[in-house]
């Protein structure tokens, strides 16, 4: 999947293609390709590269959520976090990257582009392992949202 393609921050089309290939590999269960793509992003050397992919994944997640809830200009999206036992949990329990990715998704859903952009930047500020964690969360969310009965998104702290 990543043989001769490196996600360049310049053309938006190459980021979308890279993201599409990443999603296709994850959906097909080609986990070696997914791991290779995540490694490419983790060692990109510039936060702009993973931020482009994170932004694209956030947009795709937002489109999937809207697909479940239909269009509505007056709709305001919020989240409720629960722990493994179904008890309410504080958002601060999430690692900073996934927490920012969740906030970016909410901002995208609520049509707040400046906040979405800030949260995407925050989501990709960590170490390479942190960035892989953010991308993994977004891929899991996208897979969960592909289910017709999607009602919750998984978050993990380790």
């Amino acid at each position: 999947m990543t043989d001769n393609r490196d996600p360049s921050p310049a053309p938006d089309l190459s980021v979308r293609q890279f993201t599409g290939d990443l999603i296709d590999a994850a959906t097909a269960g080609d986990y070696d390709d997914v791991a290779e793509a995540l490694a490419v992003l983790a060692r990109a050397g510039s936060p702009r590269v993973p931020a482009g992919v994170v932004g694209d994944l956030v947009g795709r997640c937002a489109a999937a959520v809207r697909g479940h809830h239909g269009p509505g200009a007056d709709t305001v999206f919020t989240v409720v976090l629960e722990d493994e036992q179904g008890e309410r949990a504080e958002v601060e329990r999430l690692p900073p990257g996934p927490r920012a990715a969740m906030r970016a998704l909410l901002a995208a859903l609520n049509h707040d582009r400046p906040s979405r952009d800030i949260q995407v930047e925050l989501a990709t500020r960590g170490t390479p392992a942190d960035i892989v964690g953010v991308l993994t969360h977004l891929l899991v969310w996208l897979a969960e949202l592909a289910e017709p009965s999607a009602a919750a998104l998984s978050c993990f702290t380790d």
Side-chain angles (χ1 to χ4, degrees):
M1 179 177 92
T2 57
D3 297 337
N4 294 319
R5 190 173 335 130
D6 198 17
S8 168
D12 193 281
L13 184 59
S14 65
V15 169
R16 289 195 56 77
Q17 180 65 45
F18 186 89
T19 305
D21 290 349
L22 177 61
I23 292 166
D24 290 346
T27 303
D30 294 333
Y31 302 119
D32 288 340
D33 281 351
V34 171
E36 182 181 335
L38 293 177
V40 166
L41 290 170
R43 66 176 185 266
S46 165
R48 290 180 25 201
V49 176
V53 175
V54 166
D56 193 11
L57 285 169
V58 164
R60 291 173 192 238
C61 286
V65 169
R66 285 190 195 102
H68 285 285
H69 295 283
D74 296 337
T75 303
V76 175
F77 291 89
T78 61
V79 295
V80 175
L81 294 177
E82 296 178 350
D83 63 15
E84 301 81 24
Q85 289 78 33
E87 302 292 323
R88 280 190 175 246
E90 296 297 321
V91 71
E92 285 76 22
R93 285 189 59 192
L94 293 175
R99 183 173 57 231
M102 180 187 305
R103 288 178 173 156
L105 175 56
L106 283 171
L109 287 167
N110 291 311
H111 307 289
D112 185 351
R113 180 67 185 234
S115 292
R116 184 208 78 96
D117 292 347
I118 289 167
Q119 294 300 325
V120 165
E121 180 185 334
L122 291 173
T124 56
R125 273 195 180 167
T127 67
D130 294 335
I131 293 168
V132 168
V134 168
L135 292 161
T136 301
H137 270 87
L138 287 162
L139 288 170
V140 167
W141 294 347
L142 200 56
E144 290 172 339
L145 289 166
E147 297 296 321
S149 62
L153 300 179
S154 299
C155 293
F156 34 93
T157 57
D158 294 329

